[in-house]
Amino acid sequence: MQAITVRDRDAGLAGMSLTDMPYPHAAENDVIVRVHAAGFTPGELDWPATWTDRAGRDRTPSVPGHEFSGVVVELGYGTTGLSVGQRVFGLADWARDGTLAEYTAVEARNLAPLPADIDHTVAAALPISGLTAWQGLFDHGRLTTGQTVLIHGAAGGVGSIAVQLAREAGARVIGTGRASGRDRALALGVDAFIDLQTDKLEGVDDVDVVFDVIGGDILDRSAALVRAGGTLVSIVVPPTVQPKDGRAIFFVVEPDRARLADLATRLRDGRLKPLVGAVRPLTEAPSAFAPGERPPGKMIIRVTEDRTGDRS
């Protein structure tokens, strides 16, 4: 099969290429999925798990990408709850070969069924952004109806999902970002938008939850915005500045089959719309990782057309 691989941590993007890889092995409770569309995080080449397994051993050449949509083509021993030919989407394990490949091996518990009327390219934009937004707002931030949440990067992949979920939960939403994202954030339903380049962030106070996807100085300054009993949540780094009489939390998104299924239902019902940006073929995935100005929305790699396939 063909896959995007990285071989040399020091080489960075220069060491990324489209290569032939062995067809993956389905371990116990695994499934093999024919990948139709995949998402990636630009910073993956900086993650230790991209280069080593859970025991710290080198696992290169490794395949990046950790969210995807596709069709089950093989079940590992003991796998239940899924069937060959079934459309699925979800997350690949951080320390295993990922999803920028024609086939990938994934634990069945990391996947959810994908309804037939949801396009693979849309579904592939949802797992990391959707689960991160939900877990940040509700599992860690404990956001409830009537509260106020400030969402940094409100027009981005994670932030845009967080805005929609918070609005549906009945929260007041303040979004932040660059001026270029103002119209997108307002269209998603933010009650107010703060341009981080020109507006005064400190003008906001008594926020129940701050959801941070930016880090740095913005994260540090956000601690002062949280009311007593409120929560500062970051997915970038552990906060070093604590809210007065509040909580500060850093977390890494975790797989959740039930929540993925719930997000798919919201997608079908029109209550949730991931921001899908450019869609590129697998051959262009290395250039898609390159830094620089990116188009709005989540970039998706289309690996194969919407049909099942045999091993290759």
Side-chain angles (χ1 to χ4, degrees):
M1 70 169 188
Q2 288 196 308
I4 299 296
T5 61
V6 289
R7 298 174 179 273
D8 184 345
R9 188 169 189 171
D10 293 332
L13 287 174
M16 179 180 289
S17 62
L18 181 66
T19 58
D20 289 327
M21 289 282 286
Y23 180 86
H25 168 70
E28 186 174 358
N29 297 318
D30 273 355
V31 298
I32 304 297
V33 177
R34 172 87 185 221
V35 179
H36 288 236
F40 64 91
T41 302
E44 285 185 33
L45 300 191
D46 296 325
W47 299 352
T50 298
W51 306 100
T52 59
D53 63 18
R54 295 188 182 279
R57 297 169 299 210
D58 180 88
R59 66 179 190 87
T60 57
S62 60
V63 179
H66 293 282
E67 54 191 331
F68 68 104
S69 180
V71 176
V72 176
V73 295
E74 183 181 338
L75 303 178
Y77 177 79
T79 299
T80 60
L82 296 171
S83 59
V84 172
Q86 186 172 11
R87 302 173 90 241
V88 293
F89 76 118
L91 288 176
D93 190 283
W94 308 120
R96 297 176 66 179
D97 280 344
T99 60
L100 294 179
E102 292 179 314
Y103 297 92
T104 190
V106 188
E107 286 189 75
R109 66 186 181 92
N110 292 359
L111 303 173
L114 180 68
D117 54 353
I118 297 178
D119 187 84
H120 284 296
T121 56
V122 176
L126 190 57
I128 289 180
S129 295
L131 290 177
T132 299
W134 184 279
Q135 291 167 15
L137 290 175
F138 305 116
D139 295 344
H140 299 290
R142 303 174 186 173
L143 183 69
T144 60
T145 301
Q147 291 187 329
T148 297
V149 57
L150 187 146
I151 299 172
H152 289 308
V158 174
S160 63
I161 297 293
V163 168
Q164 296 173 72
L165 293 175
R167 288 286 297 172
E168 187 179 27
R172 177 173 179 264
V173 181
I174 302 170
T176 80
R178 297 182 178 181
S180 58
R182 180 186 298 272
D183 290 343
R184 288 193 300 275
L186 290 173
L188 289 169
V190 299
D191 295 282
F193 183 83
I194 297 173
D195 181 346
L196 292 175
Q197 296 174 307
T198 61
D199 297 335
K200 186 178 179 182
L201 181 62
E202 284 72 18
V204 180
D205 57 12
D206 289 332
V207 174
D208 296 283
V209 178
V210 172
F211 186 29
D212 171 64
V213 301
I214 298 175
D217 178 62
I218 295 299
L219 173 59
D220 292 342
R221 292 162 58 195
S222 295
L225 312 180
V226 179
R227 68 161 181 82
T231 307
L232 171 61
V233 180
S234 177
I235 64 171
V236 184
V237 294
T240 57
V241 180
Q242 301 287 314
K244 183 179 180 180
D245 300 322
R247 301 182 303 137
I249 293 173
F250 165 75
F251 80 99
V252 176
V253 64
E254 296 182 356
D256 186 331
R257 176 187 282 187
R259 185 57 58 198
L260 281 173
D262 173 73
L263 292 170
T265 298
R266 292 167 187 265
L267 189 61
R268 290 188 69 193
D269 294 345
R271 293 180 287 151
L272 192 63
K273 295 181 179 179
L275 289 180
V276 177
V279 179
R280 296 187 180 182
L282 186 63
T283 54
E284 295 181 16
S287 63
F289 271 82
E293 191 66 28
R294 296 179 181 274
K298 177 81 173 182
M299 186 176 293
I300 298 299
I301 302 301
R302 186 185 295 278
V303 180
T304 189
E305 295 302 319
D306 191 1
R307 67 180 190 277
T308 58
D310 298 325
R311 299 184 185 186
S312 58

